[in-house]
Amino acid sequence: MAEVHVTDRDGNVSAVDAPGGRPLMEVLRDANLGVEGICGGACSCGTCHVYVDPQWAERLPPAGEDEQMMLDAIKEFVDVRPTSRLSCQITVDDSLAGMTVEIAPEV
Ligand code: FES
């Protein structure tokens, strides 16, 4: 279990308990923080887009090809930053305890 600090689209900050082994998208979706995860983690919707705190972003494994393609695809509609990630591609583990993310605007 890792506690993740989440800023929602209204600027509210929550501490969310994230069980190890689960995609971060599911944790954020189930916490009703505005993440829809429409494609269920198939890298094809972009509704799980988050901005990871820069100090944490560099600790994550790099985005895979599918994730990068989806981030490129949503650039037209939403601000995609160097720390942008699809939360469906981040698997929670203990090393993420204390990570800070911000929910990106809706696609
Ligand atoms: S849930 Fe669709 S891209 Fe992440």
Side-chain angles (χ1 to χ4, degrees):
M1 184 78 76
E3 188 178 83
V4 177
H5 302 264
V6 184
T7 302
D8 69 17
R9 294 189 183 107
D10 295 323
N12 302 310
V13 180
S14 315
V16 179
D17 288 331
R22 289 193 78 195
L24 181 60
M25 173 275 283
E26 292 183 5
V27 174
L28 300 175
R29 179 196 63 197
D30 294 352
N32 296 315
L33 290 168
V35 166
E36 293 181 275
I38 291 172
C39 75
C43 260
S44 59
C45 71
T47 63
C48 65
H49 177 202
V50 297
Y51 304 122
V52 178
D53 179 274
Q55 290 184 340
W56 285 93
E58 61 191 32
R59 298 191 211 178
L60 296 174
E65 189 176 340
D66 288 350
E67 180 178 1
Q68 197 56 59
M69 284 176 60
M70 193 66 231
L71 288 169
D72 288 344
I74 62 175
K75 269 184 188 162
E76 188 178 338
F77 311 106
V78 67
D79 181 26
V80 173
R81 304 174 185 170
T83 61
S84 287
R85 296 299 301 262
L86 297 180
S87 58
C88 66
Q89 301 303 303
I90 300 173
T91 302
V92 175
D93 66 31
D94 289 349
S95 73
L96 302 188
M99 182 169 74
T100 301
V101 301
E102 176 183 347
I103 310 294
E106 285 185 82
V107 177

